[in-house]
Amino acid sequence: KTPGVSIIYVASVASAFILVGNINILIASASFTGYPFYTICSAGVIVMRITHPDIPRPYRVPLLFPVLFVFVGLFVFVLPFLGERWLISLAWVIVALAGVPVYYLLSRNVFGWKILTRCNEKVTKGLSSILNCE
């Protein structure tokens, strides 16, 4: 299922940053913000290899690569906080963390808005057909 709510959230945050900021800062910040999630996925490979070693996998990556990627990912995440633009990095971390409750509230439709449910279903169906995720 395509995460329509998260795509709308990311698009609106990116649009806001483009309107009030610089496109170069947006590009640098977006790549910085993505690396923790890539690192978490690589750490997940390590955890799955340790906790479930007998699960059949279509491809078994050598463990060296996820371990190296976790170290590189941590380096890429921490490095911007050591420079002069650490405040921008902190702002992106806050935006990413703010997306968690927004996603939860909107995807679970906590407020009971019928229009939100219809909109989410239409966006999800449209995106899944465009992105060929059916």
Side-chain angles (χ1 to χ4, degrees):
K1 198 171 181 185
T2 307
V5 173
S6 61
I7 290 174
I8 291 170
Y9 174 75
V10 169
S12 60
V13 168
S15 300
F17 266 83
I18 288 173
L19 290 174
V20 292
N22 183 340
I23 189 71
N24 295 328
I25 293 174
L26 176 67
I27 292 169
S29 300
S31 62
F32 157 76
T33 308
Y35 254 92
F37 300 105
Y38 307 144
T39 304
I40 291 169
C41 288
S42 295
V45 170
I46 297 167
V47 169
M48 288 298 290
R49 184 72 63 84
I50 293 169
T51 58
H52 298 85
D54 299 330
I55 291 179
R57 296 170 178 85
Y59 177 74
R60 192 175 180 106
V61 67
L63 199 56
L64 172 70
F65 295 114
V67 170
L68 284 175
F69 195 85
V70 166
F71 283 118
V72 169
L74 290 173
F75 176 76
V76 168
F77 183 72
V78 171
L79 189 64
F81 287 102
L82 304 176
E84 2 177 296
R85 294 188 178 190
W86 66 271
L87 195 57
I88 295 171
S89 301
L90 181 63
W92 270 108
V93 169
I94 291 170
V95 166
L97 292 176
V100 173
V102 170
Y103 178 78
Y104 176 77
L105 292 173
L106 294 179
S107 67
R108 305 274 189 226
N109 198 6
V110 173
F111 304 112
W113 297 335
K114 292 180 182 180
I115 191 166
L116 182 64
T117 304
R118 287 193 306 263
C119 180
N120 191 22
E121 289 172 359
K122 287 182 181 182
V123 168
T124 300
K125 186 179 264 187
L127 287 172
S128 64
S129 66
I130 290 170
L131 300 173
N132 201 13
C133 299
E134 297 182 50

